[in-house]
Amino acid sequence: VQLQASGGGLVQFGGSLRLSCAGSRFHHAIGWFRQAPGKEREGVSCINTSDGSTYYADSVKGRFAMSSDNAKNTMYLQMNNLKPEDTAVYYCSTGPTGPCSMYYTGPYDYWGQGTQVTVSS
């Protein structure tokens, strides 16, 4: 399984970006994580493809949304109302073991290379 994340960039406070994760295939659990400099990797959102249940970290709830284009085998993370604290490298991941989790990386066997998101104040 190969994942390719893209769509990152520099955006102003309050702006929007849409991250893409193109995959050769996706498994049961799909997650987006991020890692800021000097900080641990943290979960942003995840989805269980078996039933479509989707979860978001409190810090992004109401601002971020996951979606998919099955025909393109691509997952998206729409990020609105971006804040400087959203600055990080964002990673997509997938794995066969459910349920998905934002609190630990155990369910995820495959990771994209990461895409940098920088939000200026």
Side-chain angles (χ1 to χ4, degrees), residues 26-32 45-47 49 66 75 93-94 100 108:
F26 288 97
H27 289 293
H28 170 79
I30 302 172
W32 283 96
S45 66
C46 74
I47 185 170
T49 58
M66 289 183 72
M75 295 295 298
S93 58
T94 191
C100 74
Y108 308 102

Side-chain angles (χ1 to χ4, degrees), residues 52-113:
S53 53
T54 310
Y55 305 91
Y56 298 93
D58 288 343
S59 60
V60 306
K61 201 171 293 183
R63 299 188 298 122
F64 290 12
M66 289 183 72
S67 63
S68 66
D69 184 335
N70 294 333
K72 296 182 178 179
N73 234 25
T74 301
M75 295 295 298
Y76 301 101
L77 182 68
Q78 177 67 41
M79 307 186 297
N80 298 325
N81 192 20
L82 283 161
K83 305 175 181 181
E85 50 263 44
D86 295 319
T87 295
V89 177
Y90 284 71
Y91 301 89
C92 58
S93 58
T94 191
T97 304
C100 74
S101 174
M102 294 183 295
Y103 304 107
Y104 69 108
T105 60
Y108 308 102
D109 294 333
Y110 307 98
W111 293 81
Q113 84 288 3

Side-chain angles (χ1 to χ4, degrees), residues 8-64:
L10 174 64
V11 65
Q12 289 187 334
F13 179 89
S16 298
L17 283 173
R18 188 178 75 162
L19 305 184
S20 300
C21 179
S24 56
R25 67 168 294 182
F26 288 97
H27 289 293
H28 170 79
I30 302 172
W32 283 96
F33 287 74
R34 66 187 181 186
Q35 188 165 17
K39 295 187 177 181
E40 293 186 355
R41 190 170 296 192
E42 65 171 349
V44 175
S45 66
C46 74
I47 185 170
N48 293 304
T49 58
S50 59
D51 62 6
S53 53
T54 310
Y55 305 91
Y56 298 93
D58 288 343
S59 60
V60 306
K61 201 171 293 183
R63 299 188 298 122
F64 290 12

